[in-house]
């Protein structure tokens, strides 16, 4: 199983890159310490802990299957299921 630290390093490498949600919504993000700030109007701030929670269940059919306690599930799903982030790990 891949670690959240390994995934977070990949996420850092792709800061500012374009990602998509399951509904094909395009977004980019910036990293601020252990948080991702999604470049959308409300600028949701997603902590590394959100990715840790979701990572234990990957691959996930869609964001609606992510535990409800994970904030920003659409964005978390979009990042974790992008080939640049998941690699060949799941």
């Amino acid at each position: 199983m891949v670690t959240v630290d390994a995934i977070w390093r990949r996420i850092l490498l792709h800061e500012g890159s374009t990602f998509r949600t399951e509904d094909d919504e395009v977004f980019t993000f910036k990293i601020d310490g252990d948080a991702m700030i999604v470049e959308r109007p409300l600028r949701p701030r997603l902590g590394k802990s959100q990715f840790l929670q979701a990572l234990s269940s990957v691959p996930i059919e869609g964001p609606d299957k992510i535990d409800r306690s994970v904030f920003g599930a659409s964005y978390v799903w979009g990042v974790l299921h992008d080939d640049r982030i998941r690699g060949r790990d799941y």
Side-chain angles (χ1 to χ4, degrees):
M1 179 77 179
V2 66
T3 66
V4 71
D5 290 327
I7 293 295
W8 196 253
R9 283 190 296 275
R10 294 175 197 168
I11 290 170
L12 287 168
L13 290 173
H14 295 286
E15 179 179 18
S17 297
T18 301
F19 285 80
R20 294 182 182 276
T21 65
E22 183 184 43
D23 294 334
D24 214 30
E25 177 184 334
V26 176
F27 67 97
T28 61
F29 59 81
K30 292 183 181 180
I31 300 296
D32 181 21
D34 279 346
M36 171 187 288
I37 301 168
V38 179
E39 296 290 301
R40 299 292 299 162
L42 295 177
R43 298 181 54 84
R45 184 180 181 90
L46 311 175
K48 186 177 177 180
S49 61
Q50 303 304 300
F51 292 89
L52 174 61
Q53 265 185 282
L55 193 58
S56 65
S57 301
V58 293
I60 305 167
E61 290 179 28
D64 59 325
K65 302 296 184 195
I66 294 177
D67 187 290
R68 291 182 183 259
S69 65
V70 174
F71 176 71
S74 292
Y75 302 115
V76 170
W77 186 91
V79 170
L80 289 180
H81 288 81
D82 186 282
D83 289 340
R84 296 168 288 182
I85 305 304
R86 70 197 256 167
R88 296 179 182 203
D89 292 317
Y90 51 90

